[in-house]
Amino acid sequence: MTTIQPARPCLTSNDAAVLQALFDAESSPSSGITVDPLLPSWPTKVNVSCTDLETLKRRETDIVRKLQTNETPSRENVQSALDELDSLVSSYPTYPSAYTNRAQALRILVDIQYNERLQNTPNNPYGFEINADDALFAPEAASLSSQIFADLGQAISLATPDSPADPLSSVQARLLSDAHTHRGYLLLKAARVTKDQSGQENVGGPESLRGLSADRLEEMASHDFFLGGRYGNKVAQQLAVQTNPYAKMCGAIVKEAMRKEVQG
């Protein structure tokens, strides 16, 4: 009788480390940063004094409260919040948090426009299948979607440390975590809309994303999810793994090998 010996692992330590990084969401994302709770909230390039910072926090809290209701806020409340955020950004153009809050308010405005249009023209006024999550990529939302991506990009630019080795404050890490995750989610939506509406001329979205393939958009989303996870967002860590093109490629290879083995 032939004795079957168990196969020895054929992966080198380097191969094992690569696979661990690809498939284990906890393997590396948050290990490369240092959060120091004793640091000032924002780096020096934000250029906001401690006195002004306290005033800004109070103003932001008052603005955000207009949007935090049990029901969808009215268009008037959203527009009022946006006007105040515009004023805040104009007065303090290097304050990152104002940009992320404005991006959130603009998302709410897009949802309101979507619902209003459906109520006025219930027989699919968009010309192609679309739901509330995709409304950001309808043609008439192009200006708002461009502003949302611009605001998230500006917030990330202002809050990101000059060197990856520089420590971050807790406030700084939280904003970067949220902003990267938010942008990654929108890029993933853009990838799905691009894939679903391939060949449609009336698909909108930011000008900077038009012409990009669904695969490229998903790669960009994966990168943002990785950074969101690196700064501490657990959901982003999981999404980074799911959208990682190398992990998906390896998964497809394993799936195909298993299919052939079952058929054999």
Side-chain angles (χ1 to χ4, degrees), residues 192-218:
R192 189 177 69 78
V193 170
T194 299
K195 188 178 296 183
D196 291 347
Q197 307 302 334
S198 178
Q200 295 280 357
E201 295 182 359
N202 52 354
V203 177
E207 186 69 33
S208 60
L209 301 184
R210 293 180 196 173
L212 298 180
S213 68
D215 287 343
R216 175 57 184 146
L217 289 167
E218 192 165 320

Side-chain angles (χ1 to χ4, degrees), residues 4-32:
I4 300 176
Q5 298 293 335
R8 295 182 178 180
C10 59
L11 292 177
T12 66
S13 58
N14 184 62
D15 290 337
V18 170
L19 288 174
Q20 178 77 356
L22 285 175
F23 292 107
D24 184 1
E26 299 294 336
S27 63
S28 62
S30 62
S31 62

Side-chain angles (χ1 to χ4, degrees), residues 13-193:
S13 58
N14 184 62
D15 290 337
V18 170
L19 288 174
Q20 178 77 356
L22 285 175
F23 292 107
D24 184 1
E26 299 294 336
S27 63
S28 62
S30 62
S31 62
I33 67 167
T34 301
V35 176
D36 185 349
L38 300 179
L39 285 175
S41 296
W42 301 110
T44 54
K45 63 182 177 180
V46 171
N47 195 28
V48 177
S49 69
C50 293
T51 303
D52 286 345
L53 185 58
E54 290 303 314
T55 302
L56 283 171
K57 286 180 180 178
R58 286 195 296 271
R59 286 180 63 183
E60 276 191 300
T61 300
D62 291 340
I63 294 170
V64 171
R65 278 176 180 162
K66 295 181 179 181
L67 308 176
Q68 292 178 332
T69 62
N70 293 330
E71 300 178 354
T72 302
S74 67
R75 175 187 277 270
E76 290 73 19
N77 280 350
V78 174
Q79 191 57 60
S80 174
L82 283 169
D83 291 342
E84 292 184 54
L85 286 167
D86 287 344
S87 175
L88 195 153
V89 167
S90 179
S91 300
Y92 298 91
T94 59
Y95 181 55
S97 185
Y99 292 97
T100 56
N101 280 321
R102 189 166 67 177
Q104 291 283 12
L106 288 168
R107 285 281 308 278
I108 296 174
L109 182 59
V110 170
D111 291 343
I112 290 173
Q113 288 183 344
Y114 168 80
N115 290 325
E116 287 177 347
R117 191 163 192 205
L118 283 188
Q119 289 173 1
N120 296 330
T121 317
N123 296 325
N124 192 2
Y126 293 95
F128 58 96
E129 284 301 317
I130 191 169
N131 57 43
D133 284 341
D134 301 336
L136 186 65
F137 304 101
E140 65 276 7
S143 177
L144 292 178
S145 61
S146 294
Q147 185 63 61
I148 290 170
F149 275 93
D151 279 352
L152 292 174
Q154 182 68 354
I156 289 169
S157 176
L158 289 168
T160 300
D162 294 330
S163 168
D166 291 344
L168 295 84
S169 71
S170 302
V171 173
Q172 194 178 354
R174 185 167 61 251
L175 180 137
L176 286 169
S177 168
D178 292 343
H180 276 295
T181 303
H182 188 173
R183 191 171 67 179
Y185 173 79
L186 296 182
L187 286 167
L188 195 58
K189 282 290 181 184
R192 189 177 69 78
V193 170

